[in-house]
Amino acid sequence: AGASITADIKQQGNTNTLANAIAQAASSSWTMYQIGDSNTSTITAGGGGAVTSSDFDYSATGNTNVLTWLQGSSSAATGGNFDAVITGNTNDLNIRSEVIGAVNNWTIDGNSNDIDVTQIGTDDKSITASITGDSNDIDIDQTTSASGVTDTINIVAASTSGTINIDQCTTGC
């Protein structure tokens, strides 16, 4: 088992780029801030081992920021929590979670934001989101092949001209 990590990452200003791979770090906590415009981050957690009971908090304030968050490609990824607060326009959030029991909570306030989520796993996954703003594009795919599993999506949106696509499937959506 890998050591626990607590990390605060801040991209402040414009056009910063970060690529980070966390191979193994169970019971870890990461906080990511993007403050400014046109910042780009790609973070992969759990590519080589357990990221069990991990917590990732993401905050973007500004426009045209991009986060790609990939968690749990190893079979030991259970109990991941992802919280996001996005304030601004044309931000892009890409999530791929293979975490068993993934919990997602998002607050999105702005226009023309693009949120793409794929959740794969055999145990209860949830997404709770509050979305305010116009022309936002939300795409969520939750896949599970286990019987008796409850995957939930709860979205409250105050928006016009936006698109919300939700697919919940027993095999690849």
Side-chain angles (χ1 to χ4, degrees), residues 51-131:
V51 287
T52 301
S53 300
S54 295
D55 182 53
F56 181 48
D57 296 324
Y58 171 70
S59 175
T61 304
N63 302 310
T64 320
N65 293 300
V66 177
L67 172 68
T68 301
W69 170 245
L70 310 166
Q71 184 178 13
S73 63
S74 83
S75 61
T78 58
N81 184 42
F82 177 78
D83 298 324
V85 176
I86 299 172
T87 304
N89 303 315
T90 63
N91 293 293
D92 191 356
L93 181 60
N94 303 289
I95 301 170
R96 180 171 175 89
S97 174
E98 296 180 39
V99 175
I100 298 168
V103 176
N104 294 268
N105 295 293
W106 316 324
T107 301
I108 301 165
D109 187 4
N111 302 316
S112 301
N113 294 298
D114 184 17
I115 312 299
D116 297 305
V117 180
T118 301
Q119 288 187 309
I120 301 168
T122 58
D123 205 353
D124 307 314
K125 300 172 287 299
S126 69
I127 295 173
T128 302
S130 173
I131 302 165

Side-chain angles (χ1 to χ4, degrees), residues 8-11 15-22 31-34 38-44 56 66-68:
D8 289 327
I9 304 163
K10 185 182 285 186
Q11 286 182 318
T15 65
N16 297 299
T17 301
L18 171 73
N20 189 8
I22 303 162
T31 303
M32 172 81 195
Y33 302 94
Q34 288 180 321
S38 303
N39 295 301
T40 302
S41 294
T42 300
I43 302 174
T44 303
F56 181 48
V66 177
L67 172 68
T68 301

